């Protein structure tokens, strides 16, 4: 008799964004005359840059001729892309990463979900709280998080490290010692960052405790302040304790095109075994590679034209972000983020619960945002707005919020 993975049964209800989608659909059905604006879901809206589209066309044509056709991609990704990554993302910041330490993938969500495979079940995980839900959920699916405690909306075996206005969104070292530490910087959902000296303390801590940091740098391209590191490997000693994940989704609009990569340094070892070898073994067996066409598109992001065009897209979103920040502040809201990330994290007015504020915004302003509590227990009392809308819809949403 076959048996299912019972860890799935422990997962609470539905994924945050499905719950929101259901609520919005119900509201629209009951109020068909209302125009609802979404400043909620973390998906980009600007089209792919012309340089990327040209590369896609060229690669498609190559696939149609026997001499230039490409079958299965190499396990780690094409060398042209890994070289472009190393030169542009690392060497330019004086970080030395080897070709066989870069693993091209179909995105950072997949990598966050899959990386749990190479760690034993009895690892203790720690997450900054609130954070991108995929880390905890994928550890839960592989049985690493204990039991779900419904009343507290948290897992019994996860170390939550609160990041709130009280600690300026910089986590304290936890009382219990974690084995795997998730850090997302710039952070989704709070939009906040760690300065280099703050991240260095975490690198030192991880080396001291023989823990590994899984560093999600999906929003690296949004960093505008010079004291915020773009890569964890800018910190001394990070190669013996950190895995870094990156994505082409938020910097170049690849959310529907799918491309990312993970860096696993060879010096990163557990009792003498290199994690790089384990991840390579996994990639070889379970991963078919990102398509050639898409890897060529990714390469084009690093071309001169590609860099200029994607920079413009980020500037477009960040203009929305600063508008949201500024106007909400003028309205009397307390806001965070929006400087090094396309997310604005606001305190709900008068200590309102996150979901109550969601309902108020939806029903009275017809604006959709994301309740902070959906990102972890410390998100209660906060709310996330994203800068990924059009300039027009963002301005209109702000006008409606002002009228509340
Ligand atoms: C959007 C997002 C990702 C997803 O990246 P993909 O490459 O599209 O899978 C990863 N991490 C964070 C924090 C994100 O917000």
């Amino acid at each position: 008799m076959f048996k299912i993975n019972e860890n799935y049964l422990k997962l609470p209800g539905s994924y945050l964004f499905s719950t929101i989608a259901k609520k919005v659909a119900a509201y629209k059905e009951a109020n068909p005359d209302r125009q609802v604006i979404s400043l909620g879901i973390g998906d980009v809206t600007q089209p792919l840059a012309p340089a990327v589209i040209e590369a896609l066309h060229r690669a498609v044509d190559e696939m149609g001729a026997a001499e230039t056709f490409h079958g299965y991609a190499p396990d780690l990704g094409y060398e042209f892309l890994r070289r472009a990554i190393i030169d542009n993302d690392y060497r330019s910041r004086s970080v030395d990463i080897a070709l066989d330490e870069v693993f091209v993938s179909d995105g950072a969500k997949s990598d966050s979900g899959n990386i749990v495979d190479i760690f034993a079940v009895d690892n203790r995980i720690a997450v900054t709280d609130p954070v991108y839900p995929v880390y905890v959920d994928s550890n839960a699916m592989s049985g690493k998080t204990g039991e779900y405690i419904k009343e507290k909306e948290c897992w019994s075996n996860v170390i939550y490290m609160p990041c709130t206005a009280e600690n300026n969104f910089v986590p304290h070292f936890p009382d219990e010692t974690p084995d795997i530490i998730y850090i997302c910087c710039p952070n989704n959902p709070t939009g906040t960052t760690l300065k280099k000296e703050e991240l260095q303390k975490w690198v030192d801590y991880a080396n001291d405790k023989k823990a590994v940091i899984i560093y999600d740098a999906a929003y690296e391209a949004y960093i505008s302040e010079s004291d915020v590191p773009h890569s964890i490997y800018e910190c001394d000693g990070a190669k013996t304790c950190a895995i870094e994940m990156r994505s082409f989704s938020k910097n170049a609009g690849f959310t529907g095109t799918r491309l990312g990569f993970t860096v696993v340094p060879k010096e990163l070892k557990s009792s003498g075994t290199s994690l790089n070898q384990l991840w390579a073994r996994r990639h070889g067996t379970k991963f078919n590679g990102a398509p050639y066409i898409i890897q060529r598109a990714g390469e084009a992001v690093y071309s001169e034209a590609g860099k200029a065009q994607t920079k413009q897209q980020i500037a477009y979103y960040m203009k929305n972000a600063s508008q949201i920040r500024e106007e909400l502040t003028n309205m009397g809201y307390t806001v965070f983020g929006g400087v090094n990330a396309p997310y604005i994290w606001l305190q709900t007015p008068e200590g309102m619960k996150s979901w109550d504020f969601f309902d108020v915004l939806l029903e009275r302003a017809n604006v959709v945002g994301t309740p902070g509590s959906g990102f972890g227990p410390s998100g209660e009392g906060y709310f996330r707005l994203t800068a990924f809308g059009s300039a027009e819809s963002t301005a209109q949403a702000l006008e409606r919020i002002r009228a509340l």
Side-chain angles (χ1 to χ4, degrees), residues 172-187:
H172 296 303
F173 297 134
D175 296 333
E176 303 157 274
T177 304
D179 303 303
I180 302 174
I181 303 162
Y182 282 88
I183 297 178
C184 176
C185 180
N187 187 267

Side-chain angles (χ1 to χ4, degrees), residues 12 14-17 20 126-137 148-155 158-164 169 187-190 345 353-355 370-384:
S14 68
Y15 189 55
L16 171 64
F17 293 104
I20 293 172
V127 291
T128 56
D129 169 32
V131 83
Y132 184 55
V134 175
Y135 315 141
V136 171
D137 286 0
Y148 188 70
I149 308 163
K150 203 161 183 235
E151 313 78 66
K152 294 190 187 160
E153 297 191 0
C154 67
W155 293 87
V158 171
I159 301 169
Y160 292 87
M161 304 184 293
C163 294
T164 61
F169 301 93
N187 187 267
N188 175 8
T190 63
W345 189 241
K353 293 265 190 198
S354 299
W355 276 108
T370 315
S373 58
F375 297 98
S378 297
E380 184 56 273
Y382 291 89
F383 201 78
R384 190 190 77 172

Side-chain angles (χ1 to χ4, degrees), residues 32 35 69 86 130 150 154 200 389 396:
Q35 266 256 319
F69 169 79
I86 287 171
K150 203 161 183 235
C154 67
Q200 181 67 56
Q396 205 185 347

